[in-house]
Structure formats: structure tokens, C-alpha cells
């Protein structure tokens, strides 16, 4: 189908881009790679009056080493994220999850910033940003990941606020990592996904981080699981026991792909698998 | 209307376009590049896959205005009208198509995967083509064709190198 009529601007400065959004008065929409937005426009599920293309803004480009963190520019494509040496060294969980997003053609165009700002709870990257305590750097402020995702397809971004990038701490460098995604067909969305980081010392689990995909209207941290595995054995048995807490505090959807009850069960099974893979158990 | 300049299969085209015009429609309806079919409305099928600056993209999921200043290669840019590209020839010889609707997208996506991996395994071929749907051949022959084309292209690259 053909999208409804809209105006299009491609500003070359951040201030012009923010001004264009302000002028659109809540009827504007930022477009990065367009891999989530264009299907919505084609199906006429969204009707922005103005698209503000941020591909020309230098502030959104590149992956920067900021000492104790990485700043990943919002326009960095999935394809670039997977191959970036800094991300591979300090945030391999992000690269692993990104490699499961959609398919190669979509990964060539789709961007980390677009994917996060789209705030789809079935998207793979929000759970990673949450598990890694990422910080969202915008044209106006910095927003911690736990405050960024506010509801289904809704983020804390104001209508005239542009996501510049996401800051990921280097604190997880060297931790075991795994993204466990359950989907029924190639290129499908996750029915449930689990992003997991594990730090091991002397054969035990010292600490872990667990983020869940598609277990509610926003990505969810499985704090109960993190507490249950900390300072415990790195055994499959221990992981299975801890993973029983994965659905705590979640409100998974019931849809074509599975009931809420099924998703709660999946969260337990997949969390145990993700912990084991991340810990090398 | 914004002015858009794209190079398609080696020829530059300048056009005024509506912002909502999809690259797929620009190619087909404005530039006559009907070798690129449109198969779905959901970005799932991959039939409209073309290369943009050498990387595969689904042309139904790119606005023509986003392609401004970029180079596009479609299925029509591969052969010269008489000789088939090795990937096209392998699809023909391995019977990698029945109705042929998915074939242009399959071939463009196959070239993209071959760009990164000159000797792909069956599994890597399947992963590389996960964004392209075929509803009639059942994929077996497609995988075989891509492997054959990759072998042929590797051999001809080696021959060329030896010749130098």
C-alpha cells in the first residue's frame, strides 16, 4: 500500500531538526532507517504530517569510546553494530541480540536508535539496553533505560526530542553473555526473548543481569532471577531453580503467538537456557 | 516536491517525487525498472530486494527521497541482455524457481550474502536468505543454486587472479 501524504525534511543540523519537530506540533515523526516506521505508514497505522529525516545529523553518527562507557550513535545501523570492534569488545550482548533482528536487508537499513525509540516490547534491543543499564542521550537530556520505556510503543521522548544515542557502560566487559530468542519462523518477532549477562569468579556466579523481551508492554528486568543466582553455583540446576522467578512482576500479552501463561512458562525455560549459555555451564 | 537524484544500474535519474513515494514504486512506475516486483505490504517477502550502495535493502521499505544521492542495483543491472550473471545462470540451471516472482529478490539477496562470504555453507545460505520468501520451490534448489553460483564465482575469481 501507499502511505498517506506527509511532508518530508532532512535537516543538516540538530537545532533545525528540533525546530522542525516543534513546528510540527506533535504531528511530526522522526525517521531514521524507517524499517519500523515505513511498514506502519504503508499499512496506514500511523499518520504523521511531517517526517523529519535525521540521517544527515552528524551528532547521531559513529560509535565513540568515552572511557568508562561507549556512546553508540542513534543512526548506527544493525549491520554496523554487529561488526563494530568497540561493541564486540565491550558490549557483545548487544551485537548478539542485534544479529537476531529481522533479516540482513532490514539490518542494513534499520538503526539502533530507531529500534530503541520505537519501544516495541517485542523488539530485541530494549531488553539489552535495560539489562546493561544503558543511558539514553537525547537532544535535551540523559534518560536511564529504566525510565525510557514507558508503555507499549511509547518512550519518554517528548515530541520535539531526538535520540542522539545510547550510552552503554563498559562495566560488563568480559562478562559471559547470551541472547536467547524464541520465535516460530525466520525473521519473526520474539515470542519471548532473554538478554543475559553473567560474571563468574572461581567457578561460581558472582552476579548476573537479565532483561526480558515481550513479557509486558515494556521490556522488563528480572531482578528476582538476578538475586537468586548471585553468589551461587554456576550449574544448570541452580539456573533452572532461579529461572522460576523470571515471570515475577511481568504482564505478558496474549496474542496469536501465545497466551500470557505460555509466555510465563517460556520466560522460565529461556531464562534458564540463557543463564547457562552466558555462564558457559 | 523534493528533487531526488539516484543512480540506477549505472544510469543517473533526476526526478521530482512525492515524499511518500516508495523506492520500489519509483523504480517500477517512474523509471520503468519493472524487473523488481512487489510482493507484500509488510516487508516480509523480500521480492523487491535491490542493492543500495552495494547492500541489500527491501525497496518497499525505503522512500525514494531516502535514496537521494545513492546507487541502486536492480536485477536488470546484472546481465547484459545476452549473457546471464553467474547467479542468474545458477538459478536457471538448478531450477531454483517455479513461478519466478521471488527470483529477482532472491538473486539480489544471494549476491549480498556472497559479498560477505565467498564460500557459504547451506546453513549460512539459509540464514542469508531469511528475509526472502518463496512459496513454490521449497528452497532446496535455491540453496543449491546459490552454492553453485558461489563456487562458479570463486573459480572465475581464482582464474582471473592466476591470469594476472
Amino acid at each position: 500500500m501507499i502511505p498517506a501524504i506527509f511532508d518530508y525534511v532532512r535537516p543538516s543540523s540538530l537545532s533545525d531538526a528540533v525546530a522542525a519537530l516543534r513546528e510540527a506540533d506533535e504531528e511530526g515523526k522522526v525517521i531514521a532507517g524507517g524499517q519500523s516506521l515505513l511498514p506502519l505508514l504503508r499499512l496506514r497505522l500511523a499518520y504523521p504530517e511531517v517526517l523529519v529525516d535525521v540521517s544527515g545529523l552528524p551528532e547521531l553518527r559513529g560509535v565513540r569510546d568515552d572511557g568508562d562507557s561507549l556512546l553508540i550513535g542513534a543512526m548506527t545501523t544493525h549491520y554496523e553494530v554487529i561488526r563494530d570492534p568497540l561493541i564486540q569488545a565491550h558490549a557483545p550482548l548487544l551485537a548478539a541480540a542485534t544479529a537476531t533482528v529481522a533479516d540482513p536487508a532490514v539490518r542494513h537499513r534499520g538503526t539502533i536508535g530507531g529500534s530503541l525509540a520505537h519501544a516495541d516490547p517485542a523488539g530485541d534491543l530494549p531488553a539489552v539496553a535495560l539489562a546493561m543499564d544503558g543511558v539514553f542521550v537525547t537532544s535535551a537530556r540523559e534518560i536511564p533505560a529504566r525510565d525510557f520505556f514507558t508503555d507499549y510503543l511509547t518512550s519518554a521522548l517528548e515530541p520535539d526530542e531526538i535520540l542522539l544515542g545510547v550510552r552503554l557502560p563498559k562495566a560488563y566487559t568480559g562478562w559471559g553473555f547470551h541472547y536467547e530468542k524464541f520465535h516460530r519462523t525466520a525473521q519473526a518477532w520474539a515470542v519471548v526473548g532473554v538478554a543475559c549477562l553473567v560474571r563468574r569468579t572461581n567457578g561460581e556466579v558472582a552476579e548476573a543481569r537479565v532483561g526480558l523481551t515481550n513479557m509486558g508492554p515494556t521490556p522488563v528486568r528480572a531482578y528476582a532471577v538476578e538475586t537468586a543466582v548471585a553468589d551461587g553455583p554456576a550449574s544448570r540446576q541452580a539456573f533452572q531453580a532461579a529461572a522460576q522467578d523470571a515471570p515475577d512482576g511481568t504482564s505478558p500479552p496474549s496474542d496469536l503467538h501465545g497466551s500470557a501463561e505460555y509466555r510465563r512458562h517460556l520466560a522460565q525455560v529461556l531464562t534458564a537456557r540463557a543463564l547457562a549459555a552466558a555462564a558457559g555451564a | 516536491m523534493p528533487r531526488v537524484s539516484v543512480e540506477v544500474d549505472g544510469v543517473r535519474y533526476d526526478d521530482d517525487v512525492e515524499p511518500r513515494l516508495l523506492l520500489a514504486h519509483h523504480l517500477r512506475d517512474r523509471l520503468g525498472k519493472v524487473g523488481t516486483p512487489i510482493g507484500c505490504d509488510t516487508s516480509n517477502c523480500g521480492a523487491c530486494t535491490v542493492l543500495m550502495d552495494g547492500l541489500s535493502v527491501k525497496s518497499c521499505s525505503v522512500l525514494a527521497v531516502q535514496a537521494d544521492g545513492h546507487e541502486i542495483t536492480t536485477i536488470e543491472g546484472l546481465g547484459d541482455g545476452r549473457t546471464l550473471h553467474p547467479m542468474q545462470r545458477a538459478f536457471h540451471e538448478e531450477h531454483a524457481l517455479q513461478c519466478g516472482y521471488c527470483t529477482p529478490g532472491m538473486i539480489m539477496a544471494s549476491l549480498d550474502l556472497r559479498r560477505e562470504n565467498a564460500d557459504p555453507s547451506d546453513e549460512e545460505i539459509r540464514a542469508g536468505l531469511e528475509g526472502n520468501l518463496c512459496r513454490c520451490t521449497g528452497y532446496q534448489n535455491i540453496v543449491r543454486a546459490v552454492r553453485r553460483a558461489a563456487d562458479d564465482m570463486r573459480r572465475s575469481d581464482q582464474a582471473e587472479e592466476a591470469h594476472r
Side-chain angles (χ1 to χ4, degrees), chain A residues 9 34 55 81 104 150 153:
Chain A
V9 288
S55 65
V81 163
T150 54
L153 298 180

Side-chain angles (χ1 to χ4, degrees), chain B residues 116-134:
Chain B
E116 286 209 287
N117 185 349
D119 188 12
S121 66
D122 285 8
E123 203 176 316
E124 287 165 337
I125 291 169
R126 287 175 185 276
L129 295 181
E130 71 172 324
N132 294 75
L133 302 182
C134 167

Side-chain angles (χ1 to χ4, degrees), chain B residues 108-117 120 124-125 128-129 146:
Chain B
M108 300 317 283
S110 299
L111 287 172
D112 184 76
L113 89 89
R114 195 264 166 193
R115 169 183 57 81
E116 286 209 287
N117 185 349
E124 287 165 337
I125 291 169
L129 295 181
V146 177

Side-chain angles (χ1 to χ4, degrees), chain B residues 30-58:
Chain B
R30 302 288 287 274
L31 310 184
K33 292 279 181 179
V34 292
T36 300
I38 300 172
C40 74
D41 263 323
T42 54
S43 335
N44 281 320
C45 83
C48 67
T49 302
V50 299
L51 304 183
M52 185 159 161
D53 299 333
L55 301 181
S56 62
V57 301
K58 295 180 176 182

